[in-house]
Amino acid sequence: MAELILDQVSKQYGCDTVVDQLSLTIQQGAFVALLGPSGCGKSTTLRMLAGFESLSGGSISLNDRVLAANGIHLAPELRDMGMVFQSYALWPHMTVAENVGYALRVRGIKGEARARKVREALEVVRLEPYADSAPRDLSGGQRQRVALARCLVSEPAVVLLDEPLANLDRHLRASMEDSFREFHRRTGATMVYVTHDQSEAMSLADQVAVMQHGRLVQWATPQQLYATPRTAWLADFIGEGCILDVPAVTAGQAVDSAALHQGLMRAAALEVTARAPVLVRPQHVHICGQGGGAQGIAARVIDTAYRGERFSVRLRLAGEQELLAYHPHALALDQEVQITLEQGWALEQHP
Ligand SMILES: Nc1ncnc2c1ncn2[C@@H]1O[C@H](COP(=O)(O)OP(=O)(O)OP(=O)(O)O)[C@@H](O)[C@H]1O
């Protein structure tokens, strides 16, 4: 199957390695996200894919064609890729239709053939009524959809998107996420989407590459990242939860309820010193009652916050470890409760 392959891709600026031996195999038609905090090297990776940056090491190939490797650097216009930028980069003096059709004009495609392709591209992003408008008369979201249509009109095999929603307000972002999903469904293009926003990456992509300090931390589906993150840093970056110190667990494995309860009791009694980090997501913490009880673990409410559909509750266990839970009702500060833990996930020891 046709694929976009990054093999041990590295980039150095002077003595700084900003992308460090990154390897990814991206299936044709996939929607993938490069996710990580500012400065982790995701935009540099995207620019190397586009051909705006050379590689310091490794190779990039698309459908068995080498785009970049030692001594090889295909120009951006020869890579069969389109790019959508945060800043839209539309020509202000051209109409929407002229912006979308520009790449076709440069290639000498004229008349009805060009007009038809422009109409089709505008239809995909639902902007046909705006064909004759100027970019300045459109909202930020509409401008970003023009940029998508302009990319689509060249029918690239791969669409690269660099923080395309960063300039939009929160409400518009949600509706633009729907536009990206629809764009992907209708075109079948491979999409590589750079963002520092984990909820954006998780809701859009089939597969996410999480980067930290230029290195790949994990390459997995959003569901796998949430449920089985490799490290404590990643567990914290993706979603809510708490990390407990629990004895006798093996990294990279689920920890069942009995093992968690037993481990926490031993930890509270200071029976063992060797412990490992275990992620417990709030939906796996059940507040089952007040006061004493044989089944549960005693905890004290140290903070609560109303979140609309539920309360989030911070709990302290004997031995001072803390947990986050969700609860349908308000609880009083300092209230003693019994909790049960449904499951946990053992993380690697290093951060
Ligand atoms: N042309 C350059 N010369 C020197 N250093 C650079 C250059 N471009 C990027 N860097 C450095 O490389 C590192 C990675 O930058 P990059 O833009 O890829 O990160 P990023 O994860 O996309 O972050 P952001 O979301 O803030 O753009 C940063 O430390 C940045 O300062």
Side-chain angles (χ1 to χ4, degrees):
M1 196 177 194
E3 292 165 331
L4 174 61
I5 298 176
L6 290 81
D7 186 17
Q8 305 271 305
V9 169
S10 294
K11 180 70 188 179
Q12 278 147 6
Y13 292 114
C15 299
D16 288 341
T17 301
V18 300
V19 178
D20 196 359
Q21 302 193 29
L22 177 65
S23 294
L24 299 172
T25 297
I26 299 169
Q27 303 295 335
Q28 185 181 32
F31 194 143
V32 306
L34 304 183
L35 171 68
S38 182
C40 73
K42 51 197 189 299
S43 295
T44 304
T45 303
L46 205 72
R47 291 203 304 274
M48 289 193 283
L49 283 171
F52 301 141
E53 291 281 0
S54 60
L55 276 58
S56 308
S59 65
I60 297 173
S61 59
L62 176 60
N63 304 343
D64 298 326
R65 194 165 67 115
V66 178
L67 305 182
N70 192 12
I72 302 173
H73 181 88
L74 233 65
E77 61 275 16
L78 301 177
R79 293 192 174 204
D80 201 8
M81 292 183 178
M83 188 138 173
V84 177
F85 300 92
Q86 188 182 116
S87 58
Y88 326 132
L90 302 178
W91 300 106
H93 59 287
M94 291 184 190
T95 65
V96 164
E98 284 165 353
N99 264 284
V100 172
Y102 181 74
L104 302 177
R105 203 174 91 195
V106 170
R107 276 194 254 146
I109 300 169
K110 296 188 182 125
E112 180 49 27
R114 185 164 84 211
R116 183 173 43 79
K117 277 181 177 287
V118 169
R119 267 199 313 275
E120 284 169 2
L122 285 176
E123 199 234 324
V124 171
V125 298
R126 306 205 181 282
L127 279 181
E128 311 100 294
Y130 297 89
D132 298 323
S133 304
R136 69 174 169 277
D137 296 330
L138 304 183
S139 70
Q142 288 170 329
R143 286 181 211 181
Q144 196 52 287
R145 278 165 31 217
V146 176
L148 268 179
R150 184 182 52 183
C151 179
L152 172 66
V153 84
S154 306
E155 297 172 17
V158 180
V159 178
L160 307 172
L161 304 111
D162 193 0
E163 304 251 9
L165 303 185
N167 285 338
L168 305 180
D169 66 44
R170 225 177 64 180
H171 178 70
L172 209 51
R173 279 167 175 240
S175 80
M176 279 303 290
E177 282 182 16
D178 294 341
S179 299
F180 286 136
R181 248 183 244 108
E182 189 179 353
F183 176 91
H184 181 238
R185 246 192 332 265
R186 293 182 64 163
T187 62
T190 305
M191 295 180 61
V192 183
Y193 189 105
V194 158
T195 180
H196 65 274
D197 181 327
Q198 51 92 7
S199 70
E200 213 170 277
M202 302 282 274
S203 71
L204 282 172
D206 314 315
Q207 192 102 9
V208 181
V210 186
M211 296 176 68
Q212 185 189 24
H213 306 312
R215 290 199 205 100
L216 182 67
V217 181
Q218 196 163 352
W219 171 228
T221 65
Q223 293 83 350
Q224 287 165 339
L225 285 181
Y226 183 80
T228 60
R230 200 164 67 74
T231 67
W233 174 81
L234 186 52
D236 188 45
F237 191 57
I238 306 283
E240 292 193 297
C242 279
I243 295 169
L244 300 175
D245 277 333
V246 181
V249 292
T250 310
Q253 289 190 4
V255 185
D256 68 20
S257 178
L260 260 180
H261 284 211
Q262 203 181 37
L264 283 173
M265 281 186 237
R266 288 177 66 202
L270 301 174
E271 275 181 25
V272 275
T273 47
R275 300 175 189 190
V278 172
L279 168 69
V280 180
R281 295 291 188 197
Q283 66 273 27
H284 295 138
V285 181
H286 303 289
I287 298 174
C288 50
Q290 298 173 13
Q295 295 294 310
I297 300 173
R300 192 162 53 84
V301 176
I302 56 169
D303 195 18
T304 81
Y306 181 53
R307 305 278 184 214
E309 71 282 8
R310 64 193 170 203
F311 289 81
S312 64
V313 183
R314 194 159 281 280
L315 300 160
R316 185 164 293 150
L317 306 175
E320 299 301 295
Q321 302 212 61
E322 289 185 11
L323 268 176
L324 182 70
Y326 297 142
H327 199 58
H329 313 296
L331 293 169
L333 278 186
D334 278 331
Q335 184 176 339
E336 297 289 336
V337 293
Q338 289 287 310
I339 59 165
T340 56
L341 305 180
E342 194 180 317
Q343 65 183 73
W345 174 255
L347 303 160
E348 288 181 9
Q349 285 279 4
H350 55 80

